[in-house]
Amino acid sequence: MTGLDVAAGACLLLGAGLAFAAGVGLVRFPGTLARMHAATKPQVLGLHLVLLAMWLRHPRWTVAGTLLLVAVYQVVTAAVAAYMVGRAAHLAESPRDDGTAVPPGDARA
């Protein structure tokens, strides 16, 4: 077992832990903005750590190019998704006490 294998294993475990924390945050956090934060920040960092672990296991430029494209697209799509969720919450104009945006007249309020 080489040093790269140990580093790859550490990155993989840390990335999986961050992705798990993002999932728990989506279930446990009380409001839209808090859930949006949990869905984007740790999940993106967790995916980048998993991608780094993949590259450490096979450190070739062909692999690095593909993994870099995946990482860039993940950052872009997570940012756009967070913006759209935040915009929808803002346009609903009816936040509950816990910060969750609920459309006016919704029976769940």
Side-chain angles (χ1 to χ4, degrees), residues 76-90:
V76 170
T77 57
V80 170
Y83 171 76
M84 295 305 292
V85 169
R87 185 172 186 263
H90 175 70

Side-chain angles (χ1 to χ4, degrees), residues 31-33 88-104 109:
T32 302
L33 297 178
H90 175 70
L91 291 177
E93 296 179 358
S94 180
R96 294 191 301 197
D97 291 340
D98 65 353
T100 303
V102 177

Side-chain angles (χ1 to χ4, degrees), residues 4-104:
L4 286 178
D5 291 336
V6 173
C11 287
L12 187 62
L13 287 175
L14 189 58
L18 284 170
F20 179 74
V24 170
L26 283 174
V27 174
R28 301 280 300 176
F29 284 171
T32 302
L33 297 178
R35 287 182 180 148
M36 181 177 63
H37 178 78
T40 55
K41 304 296 188 237
Q43 187 270 333
V44 170
L45 180 59
L47 177 72
H48 285 170
L49 285 171
V50 169
L51 294 174
L52 178 62
M54 291 172 64
W55 183 74
L56 289 173
R57 285 290 290 150
H58 302 287
R60 292 187 297 268
W61 287 110
T62 56
V63 173
T66 304
L67 296 178
L68 186 61
L69 280 175
V70 170
V72 168
Y73 287 140
Q74 177 64 33
V75 169
V76 170
T77 57
V80 170
Y83 171 76
M84 295 305 292
V85 169
R87 185 172 186 263
H90 175 70
L91 291 177
E93 296 179 358
S94 180
R96 294 191 301 197
D97 291 340
D98 65 353
T100 303
V102 177

